[in-house]
Each structure stands twice: as C-alpha cells, then as structure tokens.
Amino acid sequence: MTQFAADAFGGTSGTELSTYSSDWTKISGATQRDVFISSAGRARCGSVTGSAGYYHSVVPASADYSVSADMLVVTNASGALASTIARCTPAAATFYMFGFTVDTGWRLYKSINNTFTQLGSTVADTLTEGNTYRIETRVSGNQISGYVDGVLKIGPITDSSISAAGKPGLRLFGVTSWGDAASLHLDNWSADTLDTGYTLTLDGGQASVAGGTIGLAAARKLGMAAGSVTVAGGAVNLVYTPAGSYILTLQGGSVAVAGSSVGLRADRRLQATGGTIGISPGALALRAARSLALAGSSIAINGGVIALDWSGAAAVVPADFPVGPARIGRKAVADATKRIGGVSMRAPKRRIG
C-alpha cells in the first residue's frame, strides 16, 4: 500500500479538529458534535452526547483505497464508537464506515444521505482497556470490508451504492463519558492505496494476468494415453518414469512393453527345420556343428555340406581273404572306387592270390 494522506493529531490539547488543521471538515448532516485533540495527541469526542464525523481534504486518485487508524480503548464507555470512513460525499453525508461500538462489537455500515444500513453481521467482541487496535475500512470496487490489526473481520460485502472516490475520514460517538481519560480515541490516521491483486486465468495452456504482467512458471499436468505423454499447460522435455515395473510380453518373437517403449536387446530363439536353422526374431550368422553318417558307400553330412580331404593308404587284406580273383559287391577291389562326400578316391591296384 502507498500512503496518500496521514495525521498523528499532534496539535494543542483541547483544540477542535478543523481548527487544529484545515485538512479536516465536519460532514454536513451527520455531525452534531465536535472532535478535539487530547492531551496525549489523539482525536477524541467532545463532552456532549452525539456523533462527530469529519472528512479529509485529500482527493484520492482512485475509488479503491483503505482508511485506517489506531483505536485506543481508554475506557469501555457504554455506547462509545470509533470508526474510519471512505468514499465520503460530504454534502450528502454518504460514506462507508467500519469500527467498534462498546457493548456491541465490530460493525460495517453504509450511510446514504445520513441513513445508515448495516452491511454483514455484527462480530461481537469485548476489548481490553489500555489496548490499541488498528481498524481499517477498505473499499475495492463493489467489495467493502473491515479489518482489525490487518486481519479481515467483516466482508468482503458486495455493495454498489457508493462508487465515487469521495473523501476519507473518521467518525467518533460518545454517550456516557468523554474527555482525555475516557471512551475510545483515534491516532495515526492514514489513507492508503490498495495493492492490486493479480487475477490469473488459464485458457488453452495460456495464462492471462489481470492487474499487471508478471513472469509465471505454470504447473503442468501430465496425462498418459496409449503409451504417450500429453502435457497440459505447455510443452516441456520430460523423462517419464511410471510407477511400478515394466511388463514385457513375448509374442511371435516380438516384445511388447506395457507402460512405455524401451530399446530391448532380445534373446534369439533357434529352430532347426530340415538342414536349416531358423532364427526368431532376427537373423544372425551361426557356425553349426555338423555330424557325419555312413550310408552305403557314401557319407551323409547333417547340418550342411562340407568338402572332405581323404588320404587313402594301401589296403590291408586279411590273411584268410579268399585267394584268386574276387568280386565284392560285383565290383573288383582292384578297380574299386570309393566316393566319400562327393570326393572321388582311387585305391591302388593289388592282385589277390
């Protein structure tokens, strides 16, 4: 807040307020009595029953402002009132007012042509004699409020009856006792501008600011849809780690990941079909072990075809082998030809017998 008017009532004791300072003028119609400067330098009621309202000469730059003062409870004089006023139209006795009435409590009023209407409900309270309370009437648009020691006591009450800036002021009321040593006194009166509150409106991820422009770091909301991340409120680079573990499902040699997509190095499954090896998923070079099988006069190779290098030595013939020409399997041993794995090998000739 910025103060634009103030008074500490430091004049001569017993001086009427408008005589003490030309900044102060009685409010027409609402004022029957006087306010004086006390011996302690505070504003107090005169010694006659009745109300006393004054406005300050300052012209507020805006209709939104606050008017506050320190209220000293000298004594809890029955019916005594102390208050601050805002948006006062002096000639019509029109204004907003917040203050305290002994035996009743805190109340917020509007006066329209000297006709008073209470805004909101009374907040009952009993104050301690000798204590000081900071009272404040605050007007902002059609929101009217009363504060005590910086804490909201009544309001905000919505009322559009008085919209002009008017004048700030004060009002005191005495009933049974008055003077320097009795009732409620005011001190350190002040009129201040209001700090403009920012109002933020979010629309499509954009933030519009009413009341000024400020840098904002907007909170973003994340949503998951089919394994992707959507960001409400802006776009950012995210590293998303979902709660729990990934669930992997193997199907047809592929890997499906629930919760996200990750790079996987899958183990391959080998399947032998005939003389070939199938790899699922993917393909890689394999060195397969091969096995040899004898079939008739040939050698069959399982797992592929390889070239065999065979060195034939002289045939060893058993001593009891039949003498004379002989045929084995209708083929002369002398001309025997052995074929092993597609390789032709010719044995040396030898006559038997």
Side-chain angles (χ1 to χ4, degrees), residues 191-246:
D192 301 86
T193 61
L194 297 180
D195 291 333
T196 302
Y198 294 106
T199 303
L200 305 182
T201 303
L202 294 176
D203 183 11
Q206 301 298 315
S208 59
V209 184
T213 301
I214 54 176
L216 297 173
R220 297 174 170 88
K221 184 171 72 173
L222 306 181
M224 293 292 296
S228 64
V229 178
T230 59
V231 184
V236 289
N237 294 325
L238 297 173
V239 176
Y240 175 72
T241 304
S245 303
Y246 290 107

Side-chain angles (χ1 to χ4, degrees), residues 21 32 110 166 216 267 324:
S21 172
Q32 297 84 31
K110 67 178 176 180
L216 297 173
D267 291 334

Side-chain angles (χ1 to χ4, degrees), residues 245-305:
S245 303
Y246 290 107
I247 300 173
L248 306 182
T249 303
L250 296 175
Q251 182 177 3
S254 63
V255 179
V257 183
S260 184
S261 293
V262 292
L264 295 174
R265 181 170 181 175
D267 291 334
R268 295 179 170 85
R269 184 177 68 234
L270 306 181
Q271 181 179 7
T273 303
T276 63
I277 298 176
I279 305 171
S280 177
L284 79 169
L286 294 174
R287 181 169 182 174
R290 296 175 172 88
S291 61
L292 306 181
L294 293 175
S297 61
S298 64
I299 299 176
I301 305 172
N302 260 337
V305 177

